[in-house]
Amino acid sequence: MVSDPKAMIDALLQPWYQALENPPTAQRQVLDLLLEGYAQTDYGARRGAGQIRSIEEYRTAFPVVTYQDLQPVLRRVMEGDTAALVAEPVEGWALTRGAAGRESRYIPMTRSDLALRARYSPRALLNYVHRKGRYDILEGYCLIQTSPSEVGTLKVGDRQIRYGYSSGLYARQGAPGAQLRLVPTQDEIDALGSGQTRLDWERRFDLIYRRAKDKPVT
């Protein structure tokens, strides 16, 4: 168990609880932060991100788009023009399996994005632990069934950047911040390879069973 779970959980949850006291203000602060980043990209600059002063202006300047709409600008990022869409260097790509019959989608991830996911992805679990006083949950193991976090590399400009399935990436990023013990570990899942056939999944489920059957999964 972590040495001081209450202190760790409090540090992760208090910003969230404070935001819930005044959601409109908190959401506006998030929007302002995002727009600051958007303004540093070609995609955002062309939509006047630096001049937006209200949520209504944001909605007008940034209408809802699909992944297909973003593919041309994503191709620019893959070619090395990072500022076409993101304000920081790309640290990795999250791969989705996509809906049935659709191709996988590649989502660029930056250092800031990974840090936010590591900090906030376990909050729902930790909120339950805190509200119910169930700190004993953190004494056991967290059972996961994810896809590999490392599948291959993509050439981005003159760099080779790793990509992996989003579920594995989120598990790898989120577990350390919440000091969770995963079973099996993401490294063990990655070691089985990136295949998506029935046999590949049978091997993953067999691994999950063998690694978890004798452990206190909470």
Side-chain angles (χ1 to χ4, degrees), residues 28 32 35 47-55 57-58 61-62:
R28 180 53 202 253
D32 288 344
L35 286 171
R47 286 161 176 75
Q51 289 73 51
I52 291 175
R53 297 293 178 264
S54 69
I55 291 178
E57 290 179 359
Y58 169 73
F62 288 85

Side-chain angles (χ1 to χ4, degrees), residues 71-152:
Q71 280 187 321
V73 71
L74 284 170
R75 281 195 290 271
R76 289 174 58 192
V77 176
M78 288 185 177
E79 291 168 357
D81 185 8
T82 303
L85 186 63
V86 293
E88 301 176 43
V90 175
E91 298 290 331
W93 291 80
L95 176 66
T96 70
R97 286 203 299 271
R102 295 183 182 177
E103 63 180 353
S104 295
R105 300 175 177 184
Y106 293 85
I107 312 298
M109 304 184 76
T110 66
R111 187 180 300 274
S112 294
D113 183 33
L114 291 169
L116 286 172
R117 293 180 187 279
R119 184 171 181 81
Y120 298 136
S121 60
R123 283 198 308 193
L125 167 63
L126 297 180
N127 178 62
Y128 177 85
V129 169
H130 174 67
R131 294 292 193 185
K132 298 294 185 179
R134 291 291 312 278
Y135 295 97
D136 59 293
I137 288 175
L138 300 181
E139 297 176 1
Y141 285 81
C142 177
L143 183 69
I144 64 170
Q145 181 267 298
T146 61
S147 290
S149 68
E150 295 186 10
V151 174

